[in-house]
Amino acid sequence: QVQLVESGGGSVQAGGSLRLSCVVSGGTFSMYVMGWFRQAPGKEREFVSAINRAGTSTYYAASVKGRFTISRDNAKNTVYLQMNSLKPEDTAVYYCAADYRVGTEVSRGASEYNGWGQGTQVTVSS
């Protein structure tokens, strides 16, 4: 059974940085498209970023482009989200997600991902 475990969340002031990590166990990590999503209170879960299997192509929501960087280390079964210049509107629970399907393209849709972590809280104060 594949498990995803996020870490690295916390509370920071606006302008600060955090690095989220997601370790994947129980499967073949290098075969998975990986993504990060977030959900703020009272809002829908939204796409933040995604990365292809080889780590050569990355995708970002317009709201985080230029501030966040997604990366992966297939040797460590880990995907990262480096978050810089954080804003109060970045406050949310951040979820790591995996698309296990073979040969699929990278998607921004949450419904295309079939494995999810438990989430990690990120709080940015002004």
Side-chain angles (χ1 to χ4, degrees):
Q1 183 175 354
V2 180
Q3 290 188 319
L4 291 75
V5 179
E6 302 102 333
S7 62
S11 297
V12 296
Q13 290 191 326
S17 298
L18 285 172
R19 188 194 196 202
L20 305 184
S21 300
C22 173
V23 178
V24 180
S25 60
T28 307
F29 178 75
S30 61
M31 295 181 66
Y32 305 155
V33 169
M34 297 300 299
W36 287 96
F37 291 77
R38 67 187 182 186
Q39 188 166 18
K43 294 189 175 182
E44 297 284 321
R45 188 170 298 190
E46 65 173 358
F47 171 79
V48 175
S49 184
I51 189 167
N52 69 345
R53 295 169 181 83
T56 54
S57 295
T58 57
Y59 306 81
Y60 298 95
S63 58
V64 306
K65 195 169 186 178
R67 301 187 296 121
F68 291 11
T69 303
I70 191 172
S71 61
R72 67 189 295 162
D73 186 337
N74 286 349
K76 295 183 178 180
N77 289 1
T78 302
V79 62
Y80 305 97
L81 186 67
Q82 177 67 43
M83 305 186 295
N84 298 329
S85 302
L86 282 161
K87 304 175 180 180
E89 51 264 44
D90 294 318
T91 295
V93 177
Y94 283 70
Y95 296 92
C96 172
D99 177 0
Y100 306 145
R101 298 170 298 165
V102 176
T104 54
E105 299 293 323
V106 176
S107 173
R108 297 169 181 255
S111 62
E112 302 297 319
Y113 291 80
N114 39 21
W116 292 86
Q118 81 288 353
T120 186
Q121 177 70 45
V122 171
T123 302
V124 184
S125 58
S126 58

